[in-house]
Amino acid sequence: GKALGIHLKSYVLMKMSYFCIIARYKPFVNIENPLHLKDNQGVKIISWNVNGIRANFKKGAFAEIFALKPDILCLQETKAEPSQLTPEILSPKGYTSYFSSSKIKKGYSGVAIYTKVLPEKVTYGINMPGDDDEGRTVTAHYSDFVLINCYFPNGGGAPERLSYKLEFYDAFLKY
């Protein structure tokens, strides 16, 4: 919160089960151009729940989203491991990608970040047992901000999943 000098801005698409958070943690951040891009036009960040990265690639939606020329693209619910992806999906021209995939169930959850500018550091998970196994979070640390791409668990189904969802929220807030 503001009391800690941290300003949070979340970009939510469609529903609360997935979103991307940007946390500015330096007081004199270059807000207009935090990635220090040459064109100084600000940063374009797109967050998209793809509900299957391979299917969207086949439909042409992947090309459409990159035609928008985001500086950073955050995907949720990729439902694939990097080893299952083609080079066109893994390494679009001009971008570096970072994937976190489910280790417990193939074709389940997963998040990715595509970025034009290399982050200083990339981390996976939120230090919660089970989260790292489900591939729900990848965090990119840039010089002036931290970007968290997170796919929040659904609380539907069995009561254990609601419990897991609430535990995940608590762990995320601590993270």
Side-chain angles (χ1 to χ4, degrees), residues 99-162:
F99 283 80
S100 181
S101 305
S102 177
K103 295 175 184 133
I104 58 172
K105 189 176 175 183
K106 283 192 177 199
Y108 182 71
S109 65
V111 293
I113 293 176
Y114 291 87
T115 179
K116 288 182 178 178
V117 177
L118 292 178
E120 294 176 349
K121 177 173 86 170
V122 175
T123 57
Y124 301 88
I126 57 172
N127 302 319
M128 176 188 166
D131 169 59
D132 298 343
D133 295 339
E134 288 195 10
R136 293 189 173 276
T137 310
V138 61
T139 303
H141 301 258
Y142 294 92
S143 63
D144 291 328
F145 67 96
V146 175
L147 182 136
I148 305 167
N149 184 19
C150 186
Y151 176 54
F152 281 78
N154 184 319
E160 304 84 49
R161 288 309 289 175
L162 177 58

